[in-house]
């Protein structure tokens, strides 16, 4: 057995039962390996959790699924039953409803560039609509240039090429007698879209991932493009059902799960990973280890062993987190209500300065995402509604969360009139809750990998300097988000089964 490739059946220990780790486990089990997952908490799913109370049910992690093709591929490659036989997958339409600072509203249809342009023309005018349509054409070019190296292939050894190369074809812009092109998402909004509402729409895609659009590269144009091109989807019963389906697929492929089993160290033998040490003092021997953990946890598990080379992509730390308020409301969900509404900040500059300035803080009037699923499984009866309200906050935020939750409810009333009068009960989910579920310091939520910006938004390779140790999930290539987690699982399985020559799906 070579250090970089496994022939025949191997014992593989997976640390963590997040979705990316489970995706890798299922694929590796199908390839003939004996896979055991060690999860420190008492359940699977990582950030895909559920809160149930008095007949109400709420997702506490991602509320929607972009790029469902990633999970269709997972289920196709690991069993007979396709994804749609394991979960109820529903395309959300409209994809999103936006309430801008000036009171303008617009609903954007799902997976239709022409429909989006038409909706913008009606709400914002034909000039704004044309500019957004032209922007989407350029965003598609950025997607075509970056898709394979950022999502479908293992991270290139010469990853610096991705760090330097800006895939977005920015339009030349004359500024102060000089011709410049947009290098950041905020500059794209200001110089190419030239409408504060379109700029807010563009920047909201980065902000939702905890990214500051003022320094996020223009390559982030792929974020709205993905949504418009491939659609936004919801899983009936809540997104936790996707985690349940992946878990059950693992069980069907005879993956073993040990819950309440905290890994405290990666065993080394003859210069390679050889298993795990667990908190109860036991040892789990293995031929390979796959770690689905945040960077600070990987540091502790490796106990000083260098797992990243000096020329590797550095681990990203200090990402943003989220505060989510779970609202149980009396009164049914009105027919035609959008599933997702984004209420944009009245002063976007002040919001960004509060979130990303030094020191970071909580904005007085944040951008808020309101999710109102049309799903009877989430409520005790048709006379009630389950709503989640979310905003980005700095990782580690603890003080002032209750006051911030009140602000979120106030902002959400622009999308849900009379919300406070309908309130039955509420629960506030904080960065500390995310930290408890995922192990990420300060409840940080990883963002997806993006090209350019000197590599600041890339994530470390799935292979490591320690032979036999691989990493999976949002804190390694290709980064955070449900689609990226599934892709990460596919890349790790490919690297183990086929070795370093693996180049991803064709």
């Amino acid at each position: 057995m070579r250090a970089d490739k496994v022939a025949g059946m191997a014992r593989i220990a997976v640390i963590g039962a997040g979705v990316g780790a489970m995706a890798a486990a299922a694929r590796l089990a199908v390839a003939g390996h004996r896979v055991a997952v060690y999860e420190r908490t008492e359940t699977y799913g990582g950030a895909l959790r559920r809160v149930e109370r008095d007949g109400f049910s709420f997702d506490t992690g991602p509320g929607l699924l972009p790029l469902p093709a990633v999970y269709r591929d997972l289920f196709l490659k690991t069993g007979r039953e396709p994804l749609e036989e394991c979960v109820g997958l529903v395309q959300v339409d409209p994809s999103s409803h936006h309430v801008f600072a000036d009171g303008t509203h617009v609903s954007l249809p799902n997976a239709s560039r022409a429909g989006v342009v038409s909706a913008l023309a009606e709400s914002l005018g034909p000039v704004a609509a044309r500019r957004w349509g032209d922007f989407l054409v350029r965003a598609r070019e950025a997607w075509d240039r970056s898709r394979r190296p950022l999502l479908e292939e293992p991270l290139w050894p010469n990853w610096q090429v991705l760090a330097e190369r800006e895939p977005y074809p920015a339009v030349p812009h004359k500024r102060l007698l000089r011709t410049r092109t947009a290098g950041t998402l905020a500059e794209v909004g200001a110089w190419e879209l030239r409408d504060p509402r379109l700029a807010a729409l563009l920047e909201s895609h980065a902000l939702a991932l905890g990214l500051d659009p003022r320094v996020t590269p223009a390559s982030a144009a792929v974020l709205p493009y993905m949504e418009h091109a491939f659609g936004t989807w919801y899983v009936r019963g809540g997104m936790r059902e996707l985690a349940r389906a992946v878990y059950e697929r693992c069980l069907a492929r005879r993956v073993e799960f040990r819950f309440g089993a905290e890994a405290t160290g990666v065993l080394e033998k003859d210069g390679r990973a050889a298993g795990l040490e667990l908190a109860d003092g036991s040892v789990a021997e293995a031929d390979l280890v796959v770690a689905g953990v945040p960077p600070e946890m990987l540091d502790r598990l490796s106990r000083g062993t260098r797992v990243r080379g000096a020329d590797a992509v550095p681990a990203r730390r200090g990402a943003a987190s989220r505060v989510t308020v779970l609202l149980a409301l009396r009164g049914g969900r009105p027919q035609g209500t959008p599933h997702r509404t984004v209420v944009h900040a009245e002063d976007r500059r002040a919001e960004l300065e509060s979130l990303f300035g030094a020191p970071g803080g909580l904005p007085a009037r944040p951008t808020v995402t309101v999710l109102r699923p049309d799903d009877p499984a989430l409520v005790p009866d048709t006379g009630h509604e389950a709503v989640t309200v979310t905003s980005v906050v700095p990782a580690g935020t603890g003080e002032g969360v209750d006051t911030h939750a009140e602000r979120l409810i106030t902002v959400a009333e622009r999308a849900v009139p009379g919300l406070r009068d309908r309130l039955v009960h509420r629960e506030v989910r904080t960065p500390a809750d995310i930290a408890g579920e995922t192990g990420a310091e300060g409840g940080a939520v990883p963002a997806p990998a993006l090209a350019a910006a000197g590599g600041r938004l890339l994530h470390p390779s799935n292979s490591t300097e320690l032979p036999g140790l691989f990493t999976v999930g949002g804190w390694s290539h290709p980064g955070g988000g449900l689609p990226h987690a599934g892709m990460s699982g596919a890349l790790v399985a490919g690297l183990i089964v086929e070795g370093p020559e693996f180049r991803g799906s064709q």
Side-chain angles (χ1 to χ4, degrees), residues 55-57 375-382 384-386:
F56 292 89
S57 182
D375 190 346
L378 306 186
V379 291
D381 53 54
T382 56
H384 292 86
E385 184 179 5

Side-chain angles (χ1 to χ4, degrees), residues 265-288:
V266 174
L267 287 174
E268 291 184 50
K269 184 177 181 181
D270 299 326
R272 62 175 290 114
L276 305 178
E277 293 180 0
L278 302 173
D280 63 4
S282 63
V283 169
E285 294 184 349
D287 302 304
L288 298 167

Side-chain angles (χ1 to χ4, degrees), residues 123-179:
S123 294
L124 309 186
V127 174
R130 176 180 53 79
R131 287 176 180 161
W132 187 262
D134 292 345
F135 159 74
L136 288 180
V137 172
R138 296 189 292 274
R140 177 179 179 174
E141 188 170 339
W143 167 259
D144 290 339
R145 291 175 176 177
S146 61
R147 174 179 57 87
R148 283 199 61 79
L150 279 178
L151 301 179
E152 298 177 356
E153 298 178 348
L155 188 66
W156 294 348
N158 62 333
W159 59 268
Q160 291 86 353
V161 176
L162 298 175
E164 298 163 358
R165 181 184 299 164
E166 172 55 75
Y168 179 74
V171 177
H173 170 79
K174 279 197 171 183
R175 183 174 176 83
L176 300 178
L177 303 180
R178 296 175 56 195
T179 298

Side-chain angles (χ1 to χ4, degrees), residues 120-309:
L120 289 173
E122 184 175 342
S123 294
L124 309 186
V127 174
R130 176 180 53 79
R131 287 176 180 161
W132 187 262
D134 292 345
F135 159 74
L136 288 180
V137 172
R138 296 189 292 274
R140 177 179 179 174
E141 188 170 339
W143 167 259
D144 290 339
R145 291 175 176 177
S146 61
R147 174 179 57 87
R148 283 199 61 79
L150 279 178
L151 301 179
E152 298 177 356
E153 298 178 348
L155 188 66
W156 294 348
N158 62 333
W159 59 268
Q160 291 86 353
V161 176
L162 298 175
E164 298 163 358
R165 181 184 299 164
E166 172 55 75
Y168 179 74
V171 177
H173 170 79
K174 279 197 171 183
R175 183 174 176 83
L176 300 178
L177 303 180
R178 296 175 56 195
T179 298
R180 300 181 59 186
T181 56
T184 68
L185 207 62
E187 288 173 345
V188 172
W191 299 352
E192 298 181 10
L193 300 178
R194 291 183 284 170
D195 182 305
R197 297 162 299 184
L198 291 182
L201 173 60
L202 174 63
E203 293 182 7
S204 68
H205 287 83
L207 184 60
L209 297 169
L211 300 174
D212 182 351
R214 299 171 301 179
V215 296
T216 299
S219 64
V222 299
L223 300 174
Y225 172 77
M226 288 168 59
E227 184 171 303
H228 290 326
F230 306 114
T232 304
W233 302 75
Y234 172 70
V235 177
R236 288 289 183 194
M239 294 303 298
R240 171 71 175 174
E241 286 299 291
L242 178 64
R244 186 266 310 159
V246 177
Y247 170 67
E248 291 182 354
R249 179 54 54 92
C250 285
L251 294 179
R253 301 284 77 83
R254 299 185 180 179
V255 174
E256 176 188 351
F257 283 82
R258 287 189 56 186
F259 295 108
E262 182 178 2
T264 55
V266 174
L267 287 174
E268 291 184 50
K269 184 177 181 181
D270 299 326
R272 62 175 290 114
L276 305 178
E277 293 180 0
L278 302 173
D280 63 4
S282 63
V283 169
E285 294 184 349
D287 302 304
L288 298 167
V289 173
V290 176
V293 299
E296 58 274 2
M297 191 176 292
L298 185 64
D299 291 343
R300 292 196 296 270
L301 293 171
S302 59
R303 296 174 177 174
T305 298
R306 173 176 282 186
V307 296
R308 303 293 184 196

